[in-house]
Amino acid sequence: MIGESELVAVGLNHHTAPVEVRERLAIGPEALSEHLHALTERAHARESVILSTCNRVEVYALVGSEDAGRGILTYLSGTAHHGGRPLRSLLYRHMGSDAVTHLFRVASSLDSQVVGEPQILGQLKQAFRAAQEEQTVGTVLQRLMRRAISVGKRVRTETGVGRKPVSVGTAAVEVARQVFGKLQGRVVLVLGAGDMARLVLRSLLDHGVDELLVVNRTPAAAETHVPLAISNLD
């Protein structure tokens, strides 16, 4: 507890919710400002950072000790439902030192679907930067986020976690290689054109795939993102 305030982490991730629920709750960059300010204006949070990725949607916040994050639980649970059940049943809430521990595990990729994946640290930096731009972080979250990013970097450089960078996308390609053998000269169908699909595309091209077919709900996203994935190859 910090004075009359409490540090909380509220959200869901791949441990607690299926992908279709995570997709419905996901907060894109275009909506981030609205949600950050809504948390403040509705008196749910005195400071807030929103981390939204394909595997998690989390709010890190400083709240009134009498509220203890219940307002954030209500706010997030009001945005989606799962199988007729309130989303609240899929949300977790960590308080005080438990919230700090959870954030440090997230920053270190120890809470990732694939332990050691490198994307989460950059995503956390982006979330923190967005909150700074919207002025929804104060002294407490400024110090906490900087410390979490520092811890994440140390874990990657001083332990074996970051020795062989992996992601869900590259792990999937590795499974395909083990099943089918060499991927050179093969035709591969990729479903989706989001961040994870771009990682898969890069990995497939690295393995010499001859032809890639991409299927996506919105053709515009595929037309925009697929060439970008290819042009960003090292």
Side-chain angles (χ1 to χ4, degrees), residues 49-93:
V49 172
I50 296 175
L51 175 63
S52 181
T53 75
C54 58
N55 280 328
R56 68 184 64 246
V57 178
E58 296 178 333
V59 175
Y60 295 92
L62 191 67
V63 301
S65 57
E66 70 285 352
D67 176 86
R70 287 185 291 272
I72 297 174
L73 279 167
T74 300
Y75 181 82
L76 289 179
S77 64
T79 62
H81 283 72
H82 169 55
R85 292 185 299 149
L87 183 64
R88 189 169 186 143
S89 64
L90 304 177
L91 293 167
Y92 46 77
R93 175 178 52 166

Side-chain angles (χ1 to χ4, degrees), residues 20-53:
E20 62 269 20
V21 175
R22 302 197 304 268
E23 286 180 345
R24 288 205 297 272
L25 190 62
I27 299 172
E30 71 287 347
L32 200 55
S33 173
E34 173 190 347
H35 286 285
L36 283 168
H37 289 292
L39 286 169
T40 302
E41 291 165 3
R42 298 181 190 182
H44 297 319
R46 299 172 183 178
E47 301 181 27
S48 62
V49 172
I50 296 175
L51 175 63
S52 181
T53 75

Side-chain angles (χ1 to χ4, degrees), residues 159-206:
T159 74
V161 166
R163 201 162 291 161
K164 187 178 180 182
V166 292
S167 68
V168 172
T170 56
V173 173
E174 179 60 23
V175 171
R177 191 191 63 77
Q178 292 174 11
V179 172
F180 298 105
K182 292 183 179 180
L183 298 179
Q184 287 92 333
R186 292 185 179 273
V187 178
V188 179
L189 173 67
V190 177
L191 300 179
D195 292 339
M196 195 58 63
R198 291 200 293 274
L199 292 173
V200 171
L201 288 170
R202 292 175 192 154
S203 185
L204 287 169
L205 290 170
D206 284 340

Side-chain angles (χ1 to χ4, degrees), residues 2 7 47-49 60-62 103-104 128-150:
I2 306 167
L7 178 68
E47 301 181 27
S48 62
V49 172
Y60 295 92
L62 191 67
L103 174 59
F104 285 6
F128 179 37
R129 190 178 304 118
Q132 287 178 307
E133 292 173 356
E134 297 299 328
Q135 300 182 341
T136 61
V137 288
T139 304
V140 175
L141 286 189
Q142 290 272 8
R143 292 178 60 186
L144 177 61
M145 288 294 156
R146 289 195 173 102
R147 183 61 175 167
I149 291 168
S150 175

Side-chain angles (χ1 to χ4, degrees), residues 12 55 101 170 231:
L12 51 71
N55 280 328
T101 298
T170 56
S231 66

